[in-house]
Structures are given as C-alpha cells and as structure tokens.
Amino acid sequence: MRIFFGTRNFKIKDIYPHEIGLSNNIGYTIEIRQKYFHIYWIPFFGTGKIWGIRKDGELYELPVEYIREIKRRNIKVRSPWYTYSIPLLVCFGFFAYYLNEKIKEHNYEKQNIENFSQNVVKLTKDIDDPTTNQFYTLQDTKDNSSDAIMYLKVEKIYHDKIMFSLIPGFFLNSSQLELEECYNDNKGNLDTISISKALLKKALNLDYETSKDYSYKGQDLLGSKKCMR
C-alpha cells in the first residue's frame, strides 16, 4: 500500500496593486497562495505562503519593492482553516466517536431504567396476585454467593399474606437438580413460612440508582436477622 504525501499549494487571495498603494496597472494581480503538506492530497498543515504576480495566466516572482511595501504596511493573510484538514478530521472523528458513545450510553441507561421499572411492576403484581406454581428468589444483601440465596415456593395464598416453602440455595446447589425438580423431590421435608404481602413489597428495591450499586438494605423477611431483597 502506497502512502501519497508531499507539498502543494492553492490560491487563497488576490490583491490588486492599487489596494496597497502600488501601481494602478490592472493588467496583473498580486496572488497569495498557501503552501501545505498533504497526505493523500488532504492538507495536513501549512508550510508557508507564496506571494507572486499573476499576469497573462502565469505566476511571477514578486518584485523587491512590492515585498518592501507589503512589509511596511504589515499586510498579513491568514491561512484558511482547511489548510489543517487532517488534524480537524481527526478531532472531528474523536468528537463523533465520543458523541456516539455518549448516545449509546444514554440509550443503554434509558433501556436499563425502563427494564427496571417493568420488573418492579411485575414483581409487585406477583405479590398482589400470586399463584401456587410461582417461585420467588431472595438474596442476602450482605452475601452475593449462590449459597446465600433463598427460594420461596408459594403454597397458600391469603388475603394479606402468602405461605411459602423454603428452599435454601446451598441445598439446591448440593442436590444438582433444577429448582422445580428439587422442590418436588423434597417438598415434604421443607420448612414453611408465612410472610405478609406488605413486608414482601418493602423488600422490593424501587430506586434504580441503588440497584446499580447494590446499596439497598432490604428487609428481614425470614426472621433470621438477615436482610433480603
């Protein structure tokens, strides 16, 4: 793969001699051209300017007296912004990438909030209108291991409370069975507990921000002095 680079120039301004107090001859103009270093013909940075006289389609060297008059008048011509196209394109690329990442991050966060809200609605409905084929999962807020999980199987439903069978996480893990299969094989030997619907709802984390850092303290649902959520 060949990389094309080098120097070129382009016209940036025409000045008529009378504009700077020189000859009124309008047969020529003073032409200022921008020299630049390019990569693949895209301007990278300026390397100076060329001042010359354009006459009959040809560019000639600027006479010494013109140079003196231009310096005396302190005439300066700024380089066009596109002289530095590659650095600008690089900056634009980084900005576009940064903006795109921010948009993706915003959309991801928005989707997470929406999912969290939908999950809260679902969990609340599951508490208000449970069925006897449901399993609930409780996690110790101070222990994220799988052994610290407690699975609750709905057994009986009352107006303001639910009776559950308790399946400890370590018991399920040691049995190497699926949750429902483990329950069916051991339901006669499982402890039961009744928990009010109001207390179950208190264990729900309704704040999205605390859900991200797992700082929600939960509730002592099982009377074990362990906060669960």
Side-chain angles (χ1 to χ4, degrees):
M1 177 179 178
R2 296 180 62 186
I3 299 177
F4 298 95
F5 63 91
T7 57
R8 306 182 80 181
N9 61 79
F10 58 85
K11 184 174 73 172
I12 55 176
K13 189 176 181 64
D14 280 327
I15 298 177
Y16 289 98
H18 70 272
E19 293 177 343
I20 56 175
L22 298 172
S23 169
N24 288 325
N25 186 341
I26 60 173
Y28 64 92
T29 57
I30 297 174
E31 185 175 301
I32 304 106
R33 300 185 68 82
Q34 176 68 56
K35 295 168 60 180
Y36 62 91
F37 176 79
H38 69 85
I39 297 179
Y40 289 112
W41 297 283
I42 301 175
F44 196 163
F45 56 82
T47 58
K49 294 182 179 65
I50 300 172
W51 291 67
I53 288 180
R54 175 71 66 177
K55 185 175 182 180
D56 298 330
E58 297 292 333
L59 188 65
Y60 301 95
E61 187 176 350
L62 200 65
V64 175
E65 60 269 24
Y66 281 28
I67 296 174
R68 289 173 182 167
E69 185 62 21
I70 289 168
K71 287 183 178 179
R72 187 183 73 81
R73 290 173 176 265
N74 196 30
I75 297 173
K76 295 180 179 179
V77 178
R78 294 183 178 275
S79 298
W81 62 267
Y82 46 83
T83 303
Y84 307 92
S85 294
I86 288 183
L88 290 173
L89 287 173
V90 170
C91 291
F92 176 78
F94 275 112
F95 175 74
Y97 174 79
Y98 172 80
L99 184 62
N100 182 61
E101 289 299 308
K102 282 297 180 182
I103 292 174
K104 286 168 59 178
E105 183 179 323
H106 171 74
N107 291 338
Y108 180 75
E109 186 78 354
K110 183 179 178 181
Q111 185 62 50
N112 281 345
I113 293 173
E114 184 177 342
N115 291 341
F116 177 81
S117 299
Q118 291 175 353
N119 192 47
V120 168
V121 171
K122 180 182 181 302
L123 290 174
T124 302
K125 185 178 183 302
D126 286 343
I127 294 172
D128 286 333
D129 301 304
T131 61
T132 54
N133 61 351
Q134 283 181 313
F135 288 87
Y136 293 2
T137 303
L138 301 181
Q139 176 70 59
D140 189 333
T141 57
K142 294 184 178 180
D143 187 351
N144 289 323
S145 69
S146 59
D147 283 349
I149 293 176
M150 182 68 73
Y151 300 97
L152 309 183
K153 167 64 172 63
V154 177
E155 295 291 354
K156 293 183 180 181
I157 302 165
Y158 303 97
H159 173 69
D160 59 349
K161 64 182 179 180
I162 305 170
M163 188 176 79
F164 300 98
S165 289
L166 303 180
I167 308 172
F170 70 86
F171 182 70
L172 175 67
N173 294 336
S174 63
S175 70
Q176 300 296 308
L177 298 173
E178 295 295 328
L179 179 57
E180 191 168 355
E181 186 180 4
C182 178
Y183 165 75
N184 290 330
D185 286 353
N186 299 279
K187 58 184 177 181
N189 301 317
L190 297 175
D191 292 333
T192 60
I193 187 172
S194 292
I195 307 175
S196 71
K197 292 181 179 181
L199 186 58
L200 285 169
K201 288 181 181 179
K202 285 184 178 180
L204 296 179
N205 182 9
L206 305 180
D207 181 59
Y208 174 70
E209 292 301 320
T210 57
S211 73
K212 294 193 296 184
D213 57 14
Y214 303 101
S215 60
Y216 183 64
K217 293 181 180 179
Q219 296 288 325
D220 182 7
L221 296 175
L222 306 179
S224 61
K225 296 183 179 181
K226 292 182 180 182
C227 289
M228 313 290 282
R229 60 169 180 262

